[in-house]
Amino acid sequence: MNELLLDAARRGARYLDTVNDRSVAPHPDAIAVARAALAGPMPEEPLAPETVLADLDRWGSPATVATTGGRYFGFVIGGSLPATAAASVLAAAWDQNAGMESSSPLGAELERTCARWLVSLLGLQEGTEVGLVTGATMANFTGVAAGRHAVLAAHGWDVEAQGLFGAPPITLVVGDEVHVSLLKAVSMLGLGRDRVIRVPVDGQGRIRPEALPDIAGPTIVCLQAGNVNTGAFDPVGEICARLQGTGAWVHVDGAFGLWAAASPHTRHLAEGIALADSLGTDAHKWLNVPYDSGVVFVRESRHLVASMSATASYLVAGGRDPDLFTPEMSRRARGVELWAALVSLGRRGVADLVDRTCAHARRMAVALAAAGCEILNDVVLNQVLVSFGSPGRTRRVIAGIQQDGTCWCGGTTWQGRVAMRISVSSWATSDADVDRSLAAILRVAAATPAEAG
Ligand SMILES: *Cc1c(COP(=O)(O)O)cnc(C)c1O
């Protein structure tokens, strides 16, 4: 066992030591070879663990996307802080089931500690309850589930016991630039993604508060802290103030943007988040915790517990069972890597991570604008939207950058315009990575004619 785990650690270390020297996207041949080697029929006979590991490394490692390196700017994908990657090796050895206090007192303790630290770090209200889930989709699901409970309970309906058939209808309000995963959460909760009221937004994707509908009856309003394209924040404080006294539940999708609240330089963007009833975020994006790791916050604990708890005689409740706050029952001890991230960074380190990545994003935007590219958003956070002219040329430049392999950027359509997205979310991105990436982007753009053929 000793040799096997050391071998795994050595292979992992070698991977991380060289990940910045290879193409960010895997070569198509590497994917084809991995498929041929690893994806055949299930073997009849057992295989020695040493061989299993060697095969995974030999065929699998070259076929990975180098998202954990310093030059991956696609979607919103952070890397893994060194302490978190190492902690996850130990966590795998521990194999704790963090569903219950009794199955893992340590797992429950680390979660409790992370919960307390996060509420304070993000400036949320004391007593806010926390659940560790797989990602922001599930964090949004859980927050809106707590809201579904609360707004129906206020109308005398117990949704967990009675279901939705015959319940008073819930009005769900979202911004027009709502993230698709929030609509997925809404659909899974039986609230209907086509039933939502979409509120008009401004050019950065922020809800226009004056366009909010009049609130009557059970209502859940979903806001956004950090638009996935522009990084813009809905005016959460202003909207919460407007909704006061209406009984509406306010949920905030802060998948990555919520971490802005941890830095004095960006905190103003998240003004008012402490007034929200529930919030969802990811630890696996901007905090650079390994997958999968999301966090839900609910200001009044009872609504979260009412929507998530289950009881059975053999599930002896003791202390703070983590499964009172999440959809999952059995699950891995997500608090291990989260704790490792928060301890290894400290408050100052989290703020610095946010500031540094935002500064990289600003520098990319300034350099690209100086070279004649059009920047489509106000770069207030770590997101940059770039146009290289016509939709066709922008698409060809994006494809060229992905193929070049120096860095990786994805595409999007922002309010009708085709754009390249740059999301600087990794702790590992250095000034040199920004320089190399800028040079590659401009080299590919220069080699891409305005119109094909
Ligand atoms: C990434 C993202 C999500 C979904 O998060 P997952 O961790 O992929 O489930 C939701 N909302 C926003 C704004 C995001 O950026």
Side-chain angles (χ1 to χ4, degrees), residues 135-137 140 179 181 226 228 253 255-256 282 284-285:
T137 303
N140 289 333
H179 194 271
S181 70
V228 75
D253 173 7
F256 63 97
D282 270 317
H284 60 219
K285 288 180 176 171

Side-chain angles (χ1 to χ4, degrees), residues 21 62 373:
D21 307 329
C373 309

Side-chain angles (χ1 to χ4, degrees), residues 4-20:
L4 187 63
L5 276 188
L6 289 176
D7 187 34
R10 264 193 303 270
R11 289 177 188 277
R14 195 181 316 132
Y15 178 83
L16 290 174
D17 282 344
T18 54
V19 73
N20 274 321

